[in-house]
Amino acid sequence: MQTQTLVGPIGVMCGAAIGAGGALLGGWLQQSRQAKTAKEQRREERRYAAGQAALEMLIRFRHASMKRTKETESTLAFTEALVEFVTTFDAALYVVSDAEEMRTRVLDTMSFSAYTIELGHTHDEAKSWIDVICKEAIGVLSAFLREEPLPEPSQTAFEIYCDASHAVYHS
């Protein structure tokens, strides 16, 4: 065959090979990008669902603490609500990869509730203290759900921690 007649088929074959390679590479890149997007979407859905569940638990705990009275059943319900919150909250948010700081902040805040159990249900300020720390924890959790920086601990919460610690150790 003459060179002139070979140039055409060789050019067509080279063009087809390059085109097929480009199409395969483009398909692979698109599939990879779609997989990454789907993974990010699942992570966001999991993050939001876990955060919402934790927020609902926190609101239930706050409600149980506000209903607490001097009756044994009421105190038991409060203690059960606290235990349920702490164990379920922690477990629910372990599936969220970037929740460590938020989990720690909320659990540290909520651990204060144990002080009020030690103070007893007749302590006058215990309900208002728990309400303040629940609001503090709700603020941290809400900022996490909005994907905003976590708020600094409030001065009021800090003062309550100090007052409660002092009351427990001097009672």
Side-chain angles (χ1 to χ4, degrees):
M1 269 193 170
Q2 290 187 354
T3 308
Q4 293 172 340
T5 56
L6 288 177
V7 169
I10 291 173
V12 169
M13 290 176 65
C14 287
I18 291 171
L24 288 173
L25 179 62
W28 178 77
L29 287 173
Q30 182 178 4
Q31 189 274 336
S32 176
R33 195 168 296 140
Q34 285 174 344
K36 183 178 179 182
T37 301
K39 184 177 180 179
E40 288 174 5
Q41 184 177 7
R42 284 191 307 273
R43 183 183 80 69
E44 286 302 312
E45 289 170 358
R46 189 171 48 245
R47 180 182 202 269
Y48 186 77
Q52 277 298 116
L55 188 58
E56 289 171 13
M57 284 182 272
L58 182 55
I59 291 168
R60 278 199 316 266
F61 171 73
R62 183 177 179 213
H63 183 71
S65 71
M66 292 298 106
K67 289 176 56 178
R68 191 169 84 164
T69 63
K70 295 180 182 183
E71 298 171 9
T72 304
E73 288 178 14
S74 177
T75 301
L76 182 60
F78 168 78
T79 305
E80 287 175 359
L82 177 60
V83 169
E84 176 192 8
F85 170 77
V86 170
T87 56
T88 309
F89 171 84
D90 201 34
L93 289 171
Y94 267 119
V95 300
V96 181
S97 61
D98 61 344
E100 184 63 32
E101 180 184 359
M102 183 275 300
R103 268 187 26 252
T104 301
R105 288 270 310 276
V106 170
L107 288 174
D108 286 351
T109 300
M110 294 305 294
S111 68
F112 163 78
S113 297
Y115 285 134
T116 64
I117 292 171
E118 291 180 40
L119 289 172
H121 58 273
T122 58
H123 195 278
D124 294 335
E125 295 179 302
K127 280 186 182 180
S128 65
W129 287 352
I130 289 175
D131 192 49
V132 169
I133 63 160
C134 282
K135 287 177 184 176
E136 186 90 7
I138 288 169
V140 170
L141 188 53
S142 297
F144 173 78
L145 285 172
R146 291 188 307 265
E147 297 185 28
E148 295 175 355
L150 301 182
E152 293 297 320
S154 70
Q155 183 64 32
T156 304
F158 178 74
E159 289 169 3
I160 288 173
Y161 302 146
C162 294
D163 289 347
S165 299
H166 182 22
V168 167
Y169 293 119
H170 290 93
S171 59

